[in-house]
Amino acid sequence: MPLIEVTIAEGRSSEQIRAMIHEVHAAVLRTVDTRPEHIRVIVREVPQSHWATGDVTIAEMKELQS
């Protein structure tokens, strides 16, 4: 039973998240010998203030760009 966990920064719409789940499910179905109902996809959204690269959060990067 494949379990796929995706962690992304918050900010996408419900429609975007749903489309991503669909595409991830389809990719696993194409590449792994399993039944569709056995595939699990979990999406974790992290606040942009809690995700940093090089000691700068995504929220801070956005502030610097504006």
Side-chain angles (χ1 to χ4, degrees), residues 5-53:
E5 295 186 59
V6 178
T7 304
I8 60 173
E10 283 182 335
R12 276 78 175 189
S13 69
S14 296
E15 294 80 16
Q16 288 173 310
I17 298 293
R18 184 63 187 96
M20 182 182 61
I21 291 169
H22 173 77
E23 294 297 330
V24 168
H25 183 271
V28 172
L29 192 58
R30 275 194 316 273
T31 57
V32 178
D33 183 25
T34 192
R35 296 173 57 172
E37 62 270 20
H38 291 169
I39 299 170
R40 306 290 191 260
V41 179
I42 298 172
V43 178
R44 300 180 193 281
E45 292 185 282
V46 177
Q48 293 185 3
S49 61
H50 294 180
W51 188 305
T53 301

